[in-house]
Amino acid sequence: MHNETASDRELLYEEQYKRAQKEQSFMRKLLRNKLAAFGFFVMIVLVFTAIFAPWIATHPPHQMDVTRTLLGPGEMGHLLGTDSYGRDTFSRIIYGARISLIVGVAAVVFGAVFGSLLGVISGYFGGKIDAIIMRIMDGMMAFPFILLAIVLMTVFGQGLMNVIFAIGIANIPGFARVVRGQVLSVKEADYIDVTRSLGAKNTRIIFHHVLPNSIAPLIVYATMAVAGAIISEASLSFLGLGVQPPTASWGSMLQEGKDYLVLNPELATISGLAILITVLSINLFGDGLRDALDPKMKI
Amino acid sequence: MGHPLLEVKQVKKHFPVKGTIPFVPSRQSVKAVDNVNFHVMPGETLGIVGESGCGKSTLARLINRLISPTEGEMNFKNKDLVSLSKRDLRTVRKNIQMVFQDPYASLDPRKRVGQLIEEPLVIHGVGDSVSRKRRVAELLEIVGLNPRYQNRYAHEFSGGQRQRINIARALTLNPELIICDEPVSALDVSVQAQVINLLKDLQKQFQLTYIFISHDLNVVRYMCDRIAVMYLGKIVEIGSYEEIYHSPKHPYTQALLSAIPVESPYENKERIILTGNVPSPIAPPPGCAFHERCPFVMDKCKTETPPLIETTEAHRASCHLIKKEEE
Amino acid sequence: MGEELLRVEDLFVEFKTGSIVTKAINGVSFSLHQNETLGIVGESGSGKSVTASAAMRLIPNPPGRITSGSIVYKGQDISQLNESKMRKLRGNEMSMIFQDPTTSLNPVFTVGHQLMESIRIHKNLSKREAKQESLRMLELVGIPAAKQRLKMYPHEFSGGMRQRVMIAIALSCQPQLLIADEPTTALDVTVQAQILALMKDLQREFGMAIMMITHDLGVVWETCDSIIVMYAGQVMERGSVRQVYDKPLHPYTWGLLDSQIASDQNSQEVLPAIPGSPPDLSFDVQGCPFADRCPYVEEICRESKPARVAIEDGHEVACHFQTDTSELTRKEEANIGASATGS
């Protein structure tokens, strides 16, 4: 007798449910956080800059001009001035974004793949395997990164690939730890037992249940790691171990700029600011990501 | 009477205790399940009651082979679950399913409900994706959920609905035995009754056999044909529900029954209040494990472990008092 | 019964998470007298715990907020009282015990330390006196070998013993009002019986009022004088325990009473259950919140929220149809309802 009103109500609930779903969608949750939205925006700009560098840059990045050395910002058509070789700072910053992003992302992907694999094995199977893997990771973590990079660079030589390789290796233990910790807690969950009692094999449990439930902190950590890798690349380049001149990199620009800190402070300042803004916005984005990725958290 | 579906013989599970000296294995162990014997007939519901730490959940995990027993034999349809190969175990598992206590923790939060219910079929390679989808819809219908909801995530459901999802999942492969480990204790009373009704209904519909673990004696009484009472890893009394409820033989069972809350504000219950705590399962007291708290303790209880003595047919209790009565 | 100790009048509490507002409590009123035990019964999400926290002004803000209503304690409205005055009140006059005795004690301090700390915060005692006092409290709540136990850590105690310690801490300042939020839910039945007996004994000794929050009607029958039945943040029915047991007026109360499994329950019969689940309070609920699950629902139930009506002295119900329901019709109707839902 109340069927009609009941179904009306059900429809109403359905509608309310859908509205709530929309409210809780990932992007909305992410962008509701103002700082994360800012970080996200800067990152988009950065990616576009890197991709379309040849069109954005006003000069070729390696073009030297001895007649136009150490110009200030805005002088003679150079937006941000020139360096001691007369190369356009603005264009070099634009091209530098490419290096930073490539190294940051590639090194983290490298570290994440191998680190996660080790972390999952270690956390899921435990026992002796766990002890061995984690002791090796501890050893790697105790080893100073710069020293590790120097060793790798001297063995394999310098170059973009090797920078990625070195930073990637340095990232492995961090990922292994994060993933292992996550796997340890996920594997204790009731639903893993349920799945096992259904007769599922380890591979299924790992790839269908353990990994998907460990992925959120992994993504957050990876985002933060990209910021770290960009700094690492800049440090290596600053020390002259990174990308080789004349390739533009923010680290090497900072290094060159430091000699002119008194007369032309903007040289070092600009590249320093580029690093700062990039790393900051990635971290802000990562923080927002952490909150938005939690399916149970309502912001 | 036919053949039992499951026969548990002398099963022990001892968890080693971490020693105080690293790398030196300790000789102590937690005797979570200690020498347990019982059987389950097809189509019946065996209740296992006891307080926290009595080993009832460990027993459930042993039968389901989530963990392996230290000793003993478990025959399911005449196959020993303990000595089965990994592959055979997987096929046997199709026949033994489990419903866990916590409806919130037992469903993967990153999977849609439809995927979760389908998973057992995928694991065992049953059917194609179309027939599997049909089965999922059918199962949702059976447990009283709208099949339209299969694209939602578990956290969008209430506790009772989640427990229905868990039950649907356990039913997917048409098992014969379902182990329910406190399936309703995390639910509100009004919802509890719904889920109990569902379980009873399904039992009739699909001729299921249940092992029903709970600490709520009223729920167990309502659900079960026979009841086993556990204390400190051992079964201290087992029998039909009438026997256990109307003439409990073991003092612990008596205390447990007397502790059930009253049913009306007019009722005044005479209680056997137990003193002291459940002893440590690492070093259980000699003799009867219950003797330190037993109101009827005798000298014999402190030294001699009482065996399970048959009092009537299908009612056994391990207490020295029974012998004495007979004498 | 003594004089009125606490009166909650038309209380509204909401929680705001992002753009979603959950109206957890919608117009709750009740009063509690000295020496009285009031049972607050309801399912999870019914707002019973929030009501208790609100009475002690323990609702975290943000996200929670008391939007309107008054909480009158000993004639003084404490709903707007500042935090420092509230703190004083909380320790000396009212205290609370929680459901989970494992998490409510700090694992890194000894039990004696925690007990002494709470005694010394509220009473001006020297260390030695505080120690004496904690020893006395532990003995009072029936912990054997109290002297040795003082030096032990919470993890060395069993669940029941921990709850006893929590009670000792809660009672150490001799409160006039003790709020017990599901104090025995996490405990085994035999331990539950012990703890409830202990609480009754202590009430007799100290004469305090107890607010017993529980989902278990058995606990209410055993310990309480009066009861309020909550659903979706509202009081559906309130009265003395015997009034509500003898003559439950609200269909929800009937359902609750019927779905308790009795010891003489015929196991061949289908259990009477309330179909459906409680409404989501982050959505607007129009009319009676129970309408969706009520077997006797009429048009009016969905349109307007029923007002609270006093049927007899102290027995109130919020339902449009509570005029003539005798015990007989209730049983009859419940059976019809049961067979309808069981099919």
Side-chain angles (χ1 to χ4, degrees):
Chain A
M1 49 186 171
H2 305 294
N3 276 347
E4 213 175 52
T5 35
S7 68
D8 277 357
R9 283 208 137 197
E10 208 162 275
L11 278 180
L12 182 74
Y13 287 153
E14 198 91 329
E15 216 162 88
Q16 283 178 328
Y17 166 79
K18 273 183 192 145
R19 209 180 322 137
Q21 278 288 302
K22 220 169 162 188
E23 279 286 305
Q24 290 304 318
S25 78
F26 171 70
M27 271 322 254
R28 280 209 180 202
K29 266 157 101 178
L30 182 64
L31 296 181
R32 204 173 292 143
N33 179 343
K34 294 279 168 341
L35 287 172
F38 167 76
F40 186 61
F41 174 73
V42 173
M43 278 169 63
I44 298 256
V45 169
L46 216 69
V47 171
F48 267 93
T49 312
I51 294 172
F52 299 107
W55 289 274
I56 298 169
T58 49
H59 299 75
H62 308 320
Q63 188 186 57
M64 299 190 210
D65 189 342
V66 279
T67 61
R68 295 175 164 196
T69 57
L70 295 173
L71 292 175
E75 285 180 73
M76 300 178 80
H78 292 279
L79 215 49
L80 296 175
T82 56
D83 65 8
S84 53
Y85 298 100
R87 296 178 295 198
D88 180 56
T89 307
F90 176 72
S91 305
R92 286 180 68 75
I93 288 285
I94 298 294
Y95 275 88
R98 274 189 165 184
I99 297 297
S100 288
L101 281 187
I102 289 173
V103 172
V105 173
V108 166
V109 167
F110 181 89
V113 168
F114 289 96
S116 309
L117 201 68
L118 290 170
V120 166
I121 293 171
S122 197
Y124 189 79
F125 294 101
K128 282 210 177 90
I129 307 175
D130 179 32
I132 294 169
I133 293 180
M134 286 331 281
R135 290 304 78 76
I136 295 174
M137 292 300 121
D138 286 348
M140 281 174 76
M141 265 195 166
F143 205 78
F145 160 68
I146 295 289
L147 209 59
L148 182 73
I150 293 175
V151 172
L152 288 170
M153 290 303 177
T154 33
V155 175
F156 297 106
Q158 294 172 338
L160 187 63
M161 279 317 285
N162 291 338
V163 173
I164 293 172
F165 189 53
I167 299 176
I169 286 182
N171 263 306
I172 289 177
F175 277 100
R177 278 200 169 181
V178 168
V179 172
R180 174 179 175 268
Q182 196 59 24
V183 168
L184 279 180
S185 76
V186 169
K187 126 181 139 160
E188 292 302 316
D190 273 1
Y191 56 81
I192 299 298
D193 271 350
V194 176
T195 319
R196 192 172 296 134
S197 79
L198 291 173
K201 289 180 186 161
N202 281 335
T203 43
R204 181 172 183 93
I205 295 174
I206 290 176
F207 288 106
H208 281 81
H209 297 281
V210 175
L211 265 185
N213 280 290
S214 318
I215 212 88
L218 181 67
I219 289 178
V220 174
Y221 183 81
T223 316
M224 308 285 193
V226 169
I230 288 175
I231 293 193
S232 300
E233 183 274 329
S235 323
L236 287 181
S237 299
F238 185 84
L239 293 173
L241 292 163
V243 191
Q244 284 314 288
T247 313
S249 148
W250 293 343
S252 51
M253 288 172 71
L254 192 64
Q255 197 258 341
E256 288 157 15
K258 80 172 196 306
D259 298 336
Y260 304 93
L261 218 45
V262 181
L263 291 172
N264 286 60
E266 70 274 4
L267 254 183
T269 314
I270 289 164
S271 45
L273 269 179
I275 297 171
L276 179 81
I277 291 170
T278 308
V279 170
L280 182 69
S281 50
I282 293 177
N283 280 333
L284 289 175
F285 175 72
D287 273 336
L289 209 56
R290 168 167 32 221
D291 298 339
L293 273 175
D294 187 343
K296 274 166 277 178
M297 189 152 150
K298 297 178 178 170
I299 331 171
Chain B
M1 271 207 153
H3 213 74
L5 182 71
L6 175 75
E7 242 186 318
V8 172
K9 285 184 193 163
Q10 317 254 307
V11 163
K12 286 184 186 172
K13 178 69 190 178
H14 295 183
F15 293 103
V17 179
K18 251 194 186 158
T20 37
I21 315 155
F23 306 114
V24 179
S26 159
R27 247 181 265 154
Q28 288 181 320
S29 62
V30 175
K31 298 172 181 67
V33 170
D34 206 13
N35 235 335
V36 163
N37 295 287
F38 65 86
H39 67 271
V40 189
M41 300 302 289
E44 79 167 344
T45 304
L46 174 74
I48 299 179
V49 291
E51 301 185 277
S52 44
C54 73
K56 54 189 195 299
S57 288
T58 309
L59 190 59
R61 298 163 75 83
L62 280 171
I63 299 167
N64 203 9
R65 285 304 315 279
L66 280 170
I67 47 177
S68 301
T70 317
E71 244 174 69
E73 221 180 280
M74 293 186 293
N75 292 327
F76 180 77
K77 292 174 104 180
N78 289 326
K79 273 188 203 153
D80 185 11
L81 294 176
V82 181
S83 54
L84 279 183
S85 73
K86 244 186 172 174
R87 174 170 304 178
D88 289 338
L89 187 62
R90 263 164 52 87
T91 32
V92 173
R93 265 189 177 154
K94 275 165 114 176
N95 261 324
I96 307 177
Q97 294 292 315
M98 192 153 169
V99 177
F100 286 75
Q101 170 177 11
D102 187 347
Y104 295 89
S106 47
L107 293 170
D108 186 337
R110 299 231 167 242
K111 288 271 188 292
R112 290 175 196 281
V113 165
Q115 288 175 300
L116 285 172
I117 298 177
E118 190 186 351
E119 189 170 26
L121 298 170
V122 178
I123 290 171
H124 292 279
V126 183
D128 54 24
S129 101
V130 181
S131 71
R132 286 201 295 253
K133 286 277 178 310
R134 215 180 304 127
R135 176 89 177 127
V136 170
E138 181 195 6
L139 282 162
L140 281 169
E141 202 89 60
I142 288 174
V143 297
L145 289 173
N146 193 331
R148 265 195 305 169
Y149 293 162
Q150 56 176 291
N151 284 327
R152 294 193 180 176
Y153 290 99
H155 67 89
E156 294 167 27
F157 291 89
S158 70
Q161 289 171 321
R162 283 159 179 248
Q163 209 56 309
R164 284 171 192 269
I165 296 167
N166 272 318
I167 292 170
R169 236 182 148 199
L171 283 177
T172 313
L173 295 165
N174 290 315
E176 287 174 69
L177 175 67
I178 297 186
I179 305 164
C180 305
D181 187 3
E182 305 254 11
V184 294
S185 54
L187 305 176
D188 284 314
V189 268
S190 74
V191 181
Q192 201 170 347
Q194 291 174 17
V195 173
I196 291 173
N197 283 339
L198 175 67
L199 284 170
K200 274 220 144 186
D201 195 36
L202 294 172
Q203 182 167 35
K204 259 185 236 149
Q205 214 175 326
F206 302 106
Q207 288 88 46
L208 297 169
T209 307
Y210 287 142
I211 292 179
F212 194 92
I213 295 168
S214 180
H215 68 275
D216 187 328
L217 293 145
N218 282 334
V219 171
V220 168
R221 201 200 63 91
Y222 178 75
M223 276 299 293
C224 304
D225 305 307
R226 286 193 307 130
I227 291 160
V229 181
M230 282 187 80
Y231 185 78
L232 216 64
K234 289 191 168 80
I235 290 182
V236 293
E237 186 159 5
I238 183 165
S240 71
Y241 86 83
E242 288 105 347
E243 295 265 358
I244 298 277
Y245 276 80
H246 298 125
S247 56
K249 289 284 178 290
H250 198 284
Y252 177 66
T253 316
Q254 291 162 5
L256 212 55
L257 287 168
S258 85
I260 302 177
V262 294
E263 279 162 37
S264 92
Y266 300 105
E267 194 181 335
N268 226 333
K269 237 180 167 173
E270 204 52 52
R271 287 236 157 86
I272 307 168
I273 298 277
L274 291 179
T275 50
N277 289 306
V278 181
S280 154
I282 297 175
C288 172
F290 187 60
H291 82 252
E292 289 172 348
R293 307 174 71 195
C294 183
F296 312 110
V297 62
M298 304 176 291
D299 282 345
K300 198 179 176 188
C301 308
K302 293 174 185 163
T303 48
E304 232 177 277
T305 310
L308 270 171
I309 305 163
E310 199 154 289
T311 60
T312 57
E313 199 195 343
H315 184 186
R316 286 175 297 156
S318 76
C319 180
H320 289 308
L321 283 174
I322 298 165
K323 265 275 167 60
K324 214 179 150 193
E325 258 170 44
E326 281 171 5
E327 283 160 16
Chain C
M1 234 175 270
E3 56 189 273
E4 188 177 77
L5 189 68
L6 178 78
R7 193 175 73 243
V8 171
E9 204 74 66
D10 225 15
L11 188 72
F12 284 80
V13 176
E14 57 183 43
F15 289 86
K16 196 164 185 268
T17 37
S19 57
I20 295 167
V21 177
T22 307
K23 299 194 178 75
I25 302 244
N26 300 298
V28 164
S29 310
F30 63 89
S31 63
L32 180 58
H33 298 80
Q34 274 167 2
N35 230 337
E36 181 189 357
T37 305
L38 169 74
I40 302 184
V41 191
E43 302 177 77
S44 45
S46 64
K48 52 188 196 300
S49 292
V50 180
T51 307
S53 311
M56 278 189 85
R57 290 272 314 280
L58 279 174
I59 290 178
N61 182 9
R65 200 163 65 90
I66 297 178
T67 44
S68 74
S70 60
I71 304 163
V72 180
Y73 179 78
K74 282 184 171 172
Q76 182 193 15
D77 187 357
I78 58 168
S79 63
Q80 303 302 328
L81 215 59
N82 67 32
E83 195 41 44
S84 73
K85 280 191 183 141
M86 213 41 237
R87 243 196 314 267
K88 225 174 217 161
L89 209 55
R90 254 178 237 143
N92 295 325
E93 306 254 333
M94 29 171 101
S95 44
M96 195 159 177
I97 43 181
F98 296 91
Q99 172 175 352
D100 191 354
T102 26
T103 51
S104 25
L105 285 168
N106 189 335
V108 300
F109 293 112
T110 61
V111 165
H113 179 100
Q114 296 183 56
L115 197 50
M116 273 164 66
E117 190 185 21
S118 86
I119 289 171
R120 291 194 69 196
I121 288 173
H122 301 295
K123 282 187 185 168
N124 210 358
L125 289 181
S126 72
K127 236 180 174 164
R128 168 176 287 183
E129 285 167 327
K131 195 166 180 183
Q132 281 303 317
E133 182 66 16
S134 15
L135 200 59
R136 198 179 69 82
M137 289 311 299
L138 279 193
E139 277 164 3
L140 192 70
V141 295
I143 291 182
K147 207 161 191 175
Q148 288 82 43
R149 298 271 181 171
L150 273 181
K151 289 182 208 124
M152 287 164 82
Y153 288 88
H155 69 89
E156 297 172 90
F157 283 58
S158 70
M161 283 295 168
R162 268 183 227 144
Q163 198 58 297
R164 282 171 193 266
V165 172
M166 285 311 297
I167 293 175
I169 290 177
L171 294 185
S172 61
C173 52
Q174 270 131 39
Q176 312 241 355
L177 170 63
L178 176 69
I179 298 176
D181 190 354
E182 305 255 10
T184 56
T185 306
L187 306 175
D188 287 315
V189 268
T190 57
V191 186
Q192 163 168 305
Q194 293 170 9
I195 296 285
L196 292 181
L198 170 71
M199 286 179 72
K200 271 201 278 194
D201 283 350
L202 294 172
Q203 182 176 34
R204 225 167 285 138
E205 189 160 327
F206 292 113
M208 66 202 162
I210 299 180
M211 202 193 277
M212 178 77 76
I213 293 144
T214 180
H215 66 276
D216 188 343
L217 283 171
V219 171
V220 175
W221 306 146
E222 203 143 302
T223 56
C224 299
D225 305 306
S226 49
I227 173 174
I228 65 177
V229 179
M230 287 191 71
Y231 185 79
Q234 297 177 28
V235 175
M236 305 312 252
E237 183 163 358
R238 79 188 231 212
S240 79
V241 160
R242 294 190 172 190
Q243 278 171 335
V244 173
Y245 179 80
D246 290 339
K247 201 176 159 191
L249 296 169
H250 200 285
Y252 177 64
T253 319
W254 305 347
L256 216 52
L257 283 167
D258 285 336
S259 46
Q260 302 271 332
I261 303 175
S263 60
D264 55 355
Q265 187 87 44
N266 183 344
S267 55
Q268 298 310 312
E269 272 171 22
V270 174
L271 281 181
I274 308 176
S277 37
D280 185 339
L281 292 176
S282 58
F283 297 147
D284 284 332
V285 179
Q286 264 179 1
C288 175
F290 189 60
D292 275 348
R293 303 174 74 189
C294 184
Y296 317 105
V297 62
E298 296 281 346
E299 207 56 47
I300 185 171
C301 303
R302 304 193 189 279
E303 280 157 9
S304 75
K305 188 173 149 180
R308 227 173 39 234
V309 190
I311 298 301
E312 51 185 338
D313 187 32
H315 193 181
E316 293 179 351
V317 64
C319 176
H320 289 298
F321 305 98
Q322 27 55 40
T323 38
D324 56 327
T325 34
S326 63
E327 172 75 6
L328 195 70
T329 51
R330 176 179 93 76
K331 278 288 177 207
E332 244 172 43
E333 283 166 328
N335 285 340
I336 298 165
S339 52
T341 54
S343 57

